[in-house]
Structure formats: structure tokens, C-alpha cells
Amino acid sequence: MQTIDMETTALRDLNATLQAQAETTNQTTWEITNPKGSHAIAVGLDAPIDVTVKGSTGYYCAGMNKQATITVDGSAGPGVAENMMSGKVVITGDASQYAGATGNGGTLVIKGNASSRCGISMKGIDIIVHGNVGHMSAFMAQSGNLVVCGDAGDALGDSIYEARLFVRGSVKSLGADCIEKEMRPEHLTLLTDLLERGGCDAKPEEFKRYGSARELYHFKIDNAY
Amino acid sequence: MNDENISAPRTMPIQSATFSQDTNAEIRRAAATGIYDIRGGGAKRKVPHFDDLLFLGASISRYPLEGYREACDTSVTLGTRFAKNPIQLDIPITIAGMSFGALSGAAKEALGRGATLAGTSTTTGDGGMTPEERGHSEKLVYQYLPSRYGMNPDDLRRADAIEIVVGQGAKPGGGGMLLGQKITDRVAGMRNLPKGIDQRSACRHPDWTGPDDLEIKILELREITGWKVPIYIKVGGSRPYFDTTLAVKAGADVVVLDGMQGGTAATQDVFIENVGMPILACIREAVRALEDLGMHREVQLIVSGGVRTGADVAICMALGADAVSIGTAALIALGDNDPKWEAEYQKLGTTAGAYDDWHEGNDPAGISTQNPELSARLDPVEGGRRLRNYLKVMTLEAQTIARACGKNKLHNLEPEDLCALTMEAAAMAKVPLAGTDWWPGKPGTAF
Ligand SMILES: Cc1cc2nc3c(=O)[nH]c(=O)nc-3n(C[C@H](O)[C@H](O)[C@H](O)COP(=O)(O)O)c2cc1C
């Protein structure tokens, strides 16, 4: 295992080192110590490596990740795993706003709670939150899956497109064009897999599914107000 | 004798300036349909513009340079502040971001070809980077937009610069729309949305809100791209002094400022015509902000919104910009609104020069469309040649003016080379009203 201490290593050198790991690297396990809430830690990675950040991170940790598995042993600031393409990001604590924003792929697991706008504009990422999510989560969510084992705040799934939302607890309110939908067997299968990938022992049957009523898909007079 | 038979003088039918024909037609259209008008293009109303300024030329106190013989440098380097690889351009005229989706693949290719031949850059747009565009643009600026359609780290690293779009002059504070007719399989795939639906591009970025967040967002983008490429911030012309100040504080290498005449692919007409300021009112304020920060020429300023000629380019340089950007004019150079398609414009209920329903995807010139039959009308090689020619002419024109003002570099033009034809233009450009030494708001003078 390689250790990078942010007390003595600049952010630029840290990211340059991790970004330089090729597909075939044999240094597959990395530990980052003393992150102390720094921003943009482990961004733009593109190799199947394992990175553990020992402590909490600032904004945009794991931004645009491809392939790497990044664990934050602590809480993550705003925009964790934003625009992730593939790989896996795990937050053992809580995540701030915009977790997984615009993510195209990969899996984001938040073991604590996520704040507002979790999964905003998501485009294919799978997000599994063990706790609650804040207001405006999955706003304009295009595709992918958001699983919330706790409760969801106001305006869940506002202006949602084709993303699927699964919530176990209560939903304070649904946003425009987001409705509860029937949980069919294929959704239970999908959810079983998502929960397993998220390391959750919740039962798929305890969840409700939400998605788009597809009423806003065409710009017409009634949408104009 | 009957009174009525006497041809007494009568009042002429007088059209109201307030309730003009086009205003009334719009009221009737609204009454019939219940929906506002959506269109492409920029503000069509007349606003103070570059036409309201003149160059003074040389005289006894200044001497000119020889016509097309003495050197007059037109090159510019963008992104010298933080980027390892700033962008070097032969001419200070760049091609503005226009989305694939709004424009056809062939149109994007033509823009890339023309820009490359002319030694300048082109810019992606909403919807992501296409291979046509990357392949044919030697220097390509990749837009980072609120929608993040097609955004990915590989394209980010393939870009020669990144432009964070906060706003556009046509619609500061507005998002985008691309109507279902234009959402083909390819466009839908790039945007990760179902085919055929009307798409909304968000008006705000999803993962940052204020200038402090923006600074961190820029840090992230720089870390992902290894601090190699310049980062531009594009804003619409609304509060140019403050927006420029905040963009510089957030760490921009380049500020792109787009006035209200700037084109758009589609938005509400009420937005285009009523929100934002003319570019003429923005340039000096942005330059003042840069000067106050000691950053003029350190952070470069690109301006756009109604740039059409070499004279417009020269004026922007004289007012302190480092480069200009063109959208509408580039499309016209490719063949947009060409009278040769008049019969087809008539069928669409419009006329050459006025066609602006770009969002409907029926463009007779084959530019703002995804219809394969229509887009086949634009030959990207010929389009590229035309754009290159047009850029060349603009450059020669700007040099002509600069030499007449005694400048051996376009960027040496200065406000002292200008005068204004109207009070409004004098106030906005902060140059004297022609024949006076005064402009409204000139320091030390009373109004
Ligand atoms: C067809 C079309 C599409 C456009 N698409 C975008 C876009 O995707 N992103 C953006 O920032 N600006 C877009 N713009 C605005 C241009 O980048 C630019 O600001 C404007 O065209 C400059 O003004 P001009 O048209 O008067 O030259 C678009 C403009 C046009 C005409």
C-alpha cells in the first residue's frame, strides 16, 4: 500500500500521482492521510485502483472518477463524485449537497445522510444512501437509480426524466412531474442488486418507487405557467 | 349639393408607434395560441451599437502606417494567467460556442475547418463535443454548461481550453431549450435523454452556486486537466463590472462577455428582446473591472454580441477587449438566411434575413437542423472555405483601420482613436461625442 500524506504533499502532486496510474499499475492500493477538508481530492482518476481517504474531504472529492474505487473514511463536502463515469465511491459518514451530481455511471454509496440536491441531473449513476436525503434530490435526474433507505426531503425528483427513485421512508413532498410508480418484479430485482452493491441490509419490499409522469416531456401551453 | 360629394381633406390612416403592426400581430398570435414566442437569433430591436462609433484616423498629430504593406500584428494569446498551454491565435476573432443539436454535424465541421484555416479557435456548445468538431478544429474550447450534457473527463482533457458558461447575452439568467423535432438518436444519445422529447437545459449549474463555489469548481477542473489548459468564464452582459471582478477573483484566465444582441439557438422572444445590455455598454465596464484589479491584459477579455465587420473588431480592440467572438455572423457566412432559399423561406412564412425559427429544425440552408436531407445542403469543406474567407476579410478590415490610426498592432488601438455619433454611444463607450471633448459621465465634468 502507498500512503500520501497531505500534510507534506501538495494537492497537485497528490492528484498527478494518482492520475498517472495506468490501467496496468501494480500499485493498486493507496491511502491518503490528513485530508483536513481539502477540495478536489482524487479527481479525474482513470485506473482500477483503490484509494482510501482517511478523514473528511471538502468539495468535489472523486470528481469525474473513472474506474477507481475511492472510499472517504469520514464525511464528504459538496459535489462528491460529481460527473462520475465509472468505478465506485463510498462515503462512510455524511455527504453534503449535490452528491453524485450529473454522474454518468459507477456507484456512489453514502453510509450516512446526504444533504440537498443529491443526484441532481444524474445521467446514469447509481446512488445508494443509507440515511436520508435533503430537498430537491434527483432534480432533473435523467437516468440511473437513487436508493434512499431513510427519508427524502421536499420536492423529490422535480422535473425528473427517466431516473428511478426508490425510497424506504417518508417523502416530504414530490417535485413537479414526479409520481409514485408501481414496483414491479423487475424493479425488485434491480433494487436487490443495488442494495447489495450498497452494502445495505434493507429489504426491497420495504421501498416505494418514484419516477417521471412524463407530463413535462413536451413543451406545451399548460407547462408554460 | 350633397356634402359627401365634396372631397374634403381627410386624416391619413396613421399607424401607432406604440401599437405597431408587429406588436399587434404578436398580440393576436398570443391571443390565438396562449403560448409565448420561441425563436433563435439575438435582439432584433435597435440598440446603441458599434455603428454609433467612428474612428478618427491619423492627422497632423498622429501619423498613419502604409496601407496593406507595413506590418500590423493581429495575433493574440489567451490564457496566460495560470494555464501551462495558453491558446495562441493568429487573429483575435474566435468562433463562439454553438451547440451540436442546435446545429448539424456538418455545420460544426464547417466551423472547425474555417476557424482552423484562419488560425483561430472554435467552441463546442450545449450537448457536448463531437468528433467532427474535434477532428477539424485545431484549437477547440470545450464548454462546461449547467446541463452538463455529454460532459466527460476524456473530452475535457482533449480540449484546448474550458469555458464555464454562466450565461449568454441573449438570455442572461435563462437556460436552454431544444425541441423534440431536433432530438435525433444521436442528439438524444449524447445527452442521455429519450428521443423526441423537448429538452430543457438548466439555467444554473447543478453543483455550485456563488463565486466562492466557482473558485473551487475551477480548482477541480484544473486538477482534472493538470493545470494545462486555460479556463474561460462566459457571462451575459448584465452587470459587467461585478461579473468580471468575480470571474477574475474566482480564478478565470479569460472572461467572455456576451451582449444582448448575441444569438441563441432558441429561447423566448421576450427574453431575447428585454433582458441584458448591449455589448457596447459592457466592454468599458469590464475593462474598468480588470484595470481596478490590475489584471487588464493579464486576464484576457473576449467580447461578443453583434460583431459583423472588421470595423466592429477594431472597435472592440480599441475599447480594451483582447478578442471577439462571433456566432450569428459565422452562420451567415456558411449560408444561413441566404436569399437563394427565398422560395423556401416563404413557405415557412418568413423571408431571407428574418428566418429565426432555428429551433424547429427546418432550416432551408441546412445549418440549424438535424434533418439529414436539409443538412446535406451544407458542404462542410465549402462552408469552411467561406468562413475562412470571411474571417480573413474581417481581419484585413480591422488592420486597415488600425494602420489608419497609426497602430502596428490591432491591440494598440485605444479609446482615443474613437468618437461617438450619439450621446448614448458616447456614454456607453466613454468616448467623446463627435466634435466635442465630452461624454456623459466623463470624470470631472457636470452633466
Ligand atoms: C445557433 C446558436 C447556438 C448557440 N449555442 C450556444 C451554446 O450552446 N452555448 C453558449 O454559451 N452560447 C451559445 N450561443 C451563443 C454564442 O455562443 C454567442 O454568445 C453569440 O452567438 C454571440 O453573438 P452573435 O451571434 O451576435 O455573434 C449560440 C448562438 C447561436 C446563434
Side-chain angles (χ1 to χ4, degrees):
Chain A
M1 188 179 68
Q2 312 282 310
T3 300
I4 303 179
D5 185 353
M6 290 194 74
E7 197 91 73
T8 51
T9 308
L11 179 71
R12 180 76 288 264
D13 298 330
L14 164 88
N15 280 324
T17 305
L18 296 176
Q19 287 163 359
Q21 300 309 307
E23 195 86 24
T24 53
T25 180
N26 52 11
Q27 296 171 332
T28 54
T29 317
W30 296 78
E31 189 177 73
I32 298 168
T33 55
N34 291 308
K36 295 188 179 154
S38 300
H39 307 309
I41 294 177
V43 295
L45 305 195
D46 190 4
I49 55 175
D50 247 294
V51 179
T52 302
V53 186
K54 305 294 281 181
S56 295
T57 56
Y59 280 59
Y60 310 127
C61 178
M64 298 213 187
N65 184 49
K66 279 178 86 179
Q67 303 192 65
T69 298
I70 300 169
T71 305
V72 176
D73 213 348
S75 290
V80 65
E82 69 87 18
N83 215 87
M84 171 152 65
M85 305 304 292
S86 63
K88 186 170 185 177
V89 174
V90 181
I91 315 301
T92 64
D94 298 323
S96 184
Q97 315 170 74
Y98 344 115
T102 75
N104 287 267
T107 311
L108 170 63
V109 181
I110 297 162
K111 300 235 166 127
N113 302 308
S115 180
S116 58
R117 298 184 168 84
C118 178
I120 183 171
S121 278
M122 55 195 273
K123 303 177 198 312
I125 189 176
D126 291 328
I127 306 177
I128 300 108
V129 183
H130 288 216
N132 309 320
V133 297
H135 64 268
M136 297 295 270
S137 286
F139 177 62
M140 290 180 101
Q142 296 177 212
S143 62
N145 301 290
L146 172 64
V147 179
V148 182
C149 299
D151 304 330
D154 268 320
L156 177 72
D158 195 289
S159 307
I160 188 172
Y161 293 97
E162 295 294 298
R164 296 190 197 87
L165 314 180
F166 301 98
V167 183
R168 183 161 68 160
S170 66
V171 172
K172 193 146 180 230
S173 66
L174 291 172
D177 213 30
C178 185
I179 53 168
E180 189 182 334
K181 294 192 149 184
E182 186 196 350
M183 184 79 93
R184 294 194 299 267
E186 71 260 32
H187 301 122
L188 287 171
T189 313
L190 174 71
L191 186 52
T192 307
D193 172 58
L194 288 163
L195 289 167
E196 200 178 296
R197 274 159 53 205
C200 269
D201 51 15
K203 308 227 166 359
E205 297 75 24
E206 296 165 357
F207 287 76
K208 285 182 174 164
R209 180 169 82 96
Y210 304 88
S212 182
R214 304 191 177 98
E215 297 277 326
L216 292 179
Y217 277 16
H218 292 281
F219 184 74
K220 55 179 195 275
I221 298 167
D222 298 342
N223 300 340
Y225 290 98
Chain B
M1 220 162 76
N2 191 331
D3 271 1
E4 280 169 28
N5 292 337
I6 302 170
S7 56
R10 300 180 59 155
T11 317
M12 268 182 64
I14 298 175
Q15 297 286 354
S16 166
T18 307
F19 289 91
S20 59
Q21 297 272 34
D22 57 329
T23 303
N24 296 356
E26 185 47 29
I27 292 172
R28 285 187 286 273
R29 196 202 57 76
T33 65
I35 185 83
Y36 41 53
D37 184 33
I38 295 175
R39 67 172 178 87
K44 292 187 172 183
R45 64 155 78 200
K46 191 165 169 49
V47 292
H49 198 36
F50 304 133
D51 299 332
D52 301 314
L53 298 180
L54 295 173
F55 281 95
L56 297 171
S59 52
I60 297 180
S61 61
R62 319 272 150 117
Y63 68 90
L65 299 185
E66 193 54 60
Y68 42 87
R69 293 178 180 252
E70 279 182 275
C72 179
D73 185 11
T74 61
S75 66
V76 64
T77 305
L78 302 171
T80 49
R81 186 184 184 191
F82 289 122
K84 266 186 220 148
N85 308 327
I87 293 208
Q88 315 231 353
L89 303 178
D90 296 342
I91 60 171
I93 311 165
T94 65
I95 305 301
M98 293 184 274
S99 55
F100 169 70
L103 301 187
S104 70
K108 291 298 275 178
E109 178 181 333
L111 293 173
R113 285 177 180 274
T116 300
L117 287 170
T120 190
S121 61
T122 179
T123 313
T124 64
D126 216 356
M129 186 188 284
T130 62
E132 288 97 323
E133 191 171 28
R134 178 62 282 189
H136 293 284
S137 306
E138 195 188 309
K139 298 188 178 85
L140 180 60
V141 182
Y142 186 32
Q143 285 199 330
Y144 190 75
L145 291 125
S147 72
R148 308 279 166 88
Y149 290 140
M151 173 52 54
N152 69 79
D154 300 322
D155 285 344
L156 202 64
R157 285 187 277 248
R158 265 194 275 276
D160 300 297
I162 298 164
E163 180 169 300
I164 301 177
V165 180
V166 176
Q168 261 177 259
K171 44 181 177 181
M177 45 178 86
L178 190 64
L179 300 190
Q181 305 82 304
K182 293 177 83 171
I183 313 293
T184 58
D185 283 327
R186 182 173 180 205
V187 175
M190 280 177 70
R191 296 176 184 226
N192 198 312
L193 280 170
K195 187 181 171 183
I197 72 167
D198 297 338
Q199 292 186 0
R200 170 79 188 153
S201 294
C203 66
R204 291 193 302 264
H205 280 265
D207 59 355
W208 64 269
T209 42
D212 297 336
D213 287 7
L214 177 56
E215 183 176 350
I216 307 171
K217 177 48 77 178
I218 290 177
L219 171 73
E220 184 205 7
L221 294 174
R222 290 203 195 276
E223 283 293 323
I224 292 174
T225 52
W227 291 74
K228 290 199 188 97
V229 301
I231 297 194
Y232 303 5
I233 297 182
K234 176 174 180 175
V235 292
S238 51
R239 296 176 187 82
Y241 182 84
F242 295 109
D243 286 340
T244 303
T245 303
L246 293 172
V248 171
K249 290 200 162 156
D253 293 302
V254 175
V255 176
V256 182
L257 185 58
D258 187 29
M260 77 176 290
Q261 304 99 314
T264 174
T267 207
Q268 296 93 338
D269 174 78
V270 69
F271 212 142
I272 300 176
E273 294 290 354
N274 297 285
V275 185
M277 294 205 295
I279 191 62
L280 189 62
C282 299
I283 303 176
R284 290 302 296 274
E285 283 299 279
V287 171
R288 185 166 69 86
L290 292 170
E291 284 169 349
D292 286 354
L293 294 164
M295 284 289 179
H296 190 215
R297 309 290 183 207
E298 295 287 314
V299 167
Q300 287 78 36
L301 176 67
I302 303 180
V303 300
S304 59
V307 173
R308 308 146 299 176
T309 64
D312 292 349
V313 176
I315 287 171
C316 294
M317 303 293 107
L319 295 177
D322 296 275
V324 304
S325 191
I326 58 167
T328 307
L331 300 186
I332 294 171
L334 296 187
D336 169 64
N337 267 293
D338 194 314
K340 79 175 177 194
W341 304 111
E342 182 60 20
E344 296 193 38
Y345 289 123
Q346 292 285 336
K347 274 191 228 149
L348 295 170
T350 183
T351 184
Y355 176 66
D356 58 14
D357 284 330
W358 298 345
H359 58 291
E360 290 179 351
N362 301 322
D363 185 359
I367 296 169
S368 59
T369 182
Q370 296 299 322
N371 174 328
E373 265 168 49
L374 290 173
S375 58
R377 291 179 179 181
L378 179 74
D379 172 1
V381 177
E382 169 61 8
R385 190 187 69 83
R386 293 175 59 92
L387 178 61
R388 179 258 176 207
N389 283 348
Y390 169 59
L391 289 168
K392 179 92 190 154
V393 169
M394 280 212 279
T395 307
L396 291 170
E397 287 174 345
Q399 283 176 308
T400 301
I401 287 174
R403 288 198 188 95
C405 296
K407 307 294 196 291
N408 63 4
K409 184 172 169 51
L410 279 190
H411 295 86
N412 291 350
L413 285 163
E414 53 196 330
E416 284 68 24
D417 292 315
L418 293 166
C419 69
L421 289 168
T422 65
M423 293 270 266
E424 290 81 359
M428 292 177 189
K430 302 182 181 30
V431 300
L433 185 64
T436 78
D437 63 355
W438 173 84
W439 63 85
K442 183 178 179 183
T445 63
F447 183 69

